[in-house]
Amino acid sequence: MGFQDTPEEWPVTATETPFRGNKTSVRTDDVEMPDGTIARRDYQVHPGSVAVLALDDEDRVLVLRQYRHPVRHKLWEIPAGLLDVPGENPLHAAQRELYEEAYVKAEDWRVLTDVYTTPGGCDEAVRIFLARNISEADGERFAVSEEEADMEQARVPLRELVRGALAGDLHNNCLVVGALALAAVLAGDGADSLRPAEAPWPARPFEA
């Protein structure tokens, strides 16, 4: 087995969904604990997400600055978005998000890491990709609206993102995890050692 997370599911004696939104919902489960007691757990049900750490030939990362109302901040982030369709291929979703948010395409794709963002209160799973050999996309630009209409774009050296994350200046989950993961990879076995872009993802199974 090695040192790894393992699937496990404790019995659910009752469940309800007190809230349903456009993309997510809130579920309440009564869960049987190992000692036989029942504990009520409320959590957000999420379709899953993808994020893209796009690295150019100068080792700069493509980042976006966007207003996030729940935390009342403009955050620097990497391109990301929801898995809109159950069973959607995450690579295709990541390519779509990179095009729509940054008008960029990439020739080389790898899985950088997979994470659960807030497993104590949400079942969201995120696959973060590394995209290399990037260039301007083809075709018409995607029409943006709402918060995305105010979005800024920049390319920042990876070392600056790592420094900002450790200094507490950058807070977006996917940006921080992605930058630190890539720094570790580049200091170790190199990006070519990463999993292929179509690697299995048990948290959100898909068809290749």
Side-chain angles (χ1 to χ4, degrees):
M1 288 289 292
F3 190 70
Q4 64 186 58
D5 299 331
T6 55
E8 185 166 344
E9 188 168 352
W10 293 357
V12 174
T13 60
T15 187
E16 59 184 76
T17 305
F19 170 79
R20 295 183 187 273
N22 290 331
K23 296 293 185 180
T24 66
S25 60
V26 173
R27 182 175 297 160
T28 299
D29 287 345
D30 289 343
V31 185
E32 184 177 334
M33 300 289 115
D35 62 1
T37 61
I38 302 297
R40 177 156 289 191
R41 294 289 178 260
D42 302 318
Y43 59 99
Q44 182 185 19
V45 178
H46 195 284
S49 305
V50 292
V52 185
L53 196 150
L55 191 68
D56 70 13
D57 56 8
E58 297 179 37
D59 287 334
R60 298 177 303 174
V61 177
L62 189 156
V63 292
L64 309 168
R65 189 166 181 248
Q66 185 172 351
Y67 176 67
R68 293 301 188 182
H69 185 70
V71 296
R72 308 309 200 264
H73 269 71
K74 271 193 171 182
L75 300 179
W76 285 106
E77 308 178 350
I78 56 177
L82 298 176
L83 292 170
D84 292 326
V85 180
E88 182 178 16
N89 187 307
L91 174 59
H92 299 166
Q95 292 169 333
R96 179 187 69 234
E97 293 300 330
L98 186 61
Y99 162 71
E100 290 182 357
E101 293 193 348
Y103 196 64
V104 164
K105 62 181 179 180
E107 299 301 322
D108 185 87
W109 291 82
R110 307 282 174 136
V111 175
L112 184 53
T113 191
D114 299 324
V115 296
Y116 291 116
T117 54
T118 50
C122 180
D123 70 353
E124 181 184 15
V126 180
R127 169 157 282 188
I128 304 177
F129 289 90
L130 172 65
R132 296 182 294 174
N133 299 336
I134 64 174
S135 60
E136 185 173 296
D138 304 315
E140 296 183 4
R141 289 182 179 272
F142 183 76
V144 296
S145 61
E146 300 175 346
E147 291 93 342
E148 291 185 352
D150 188 53
M151 201 157 52
E152 305 168 48
Q153 185 178 142
R155 296 192 182 189
V156 181
L158 176 62
R159 63 181 180 277
E160 290 190 23
L161 297 181
V162 170
R163 185 163 50 245
L166 298 177
D169 296 329
L170 299 171
H171 305 90
N172 175 262
N173 183 294
C174 292
L175 172 60
V176 171
V177 171
L180 294 178
L182 182 58
V185 166
L186 296 180
D189 294 332
D192 289 339
S193 69
L194 291 168
R195 287 172 291 162
E198 300 269 11
W201 189 18
R204 293 294 185 273
F206 64 93
E207 294 185 8

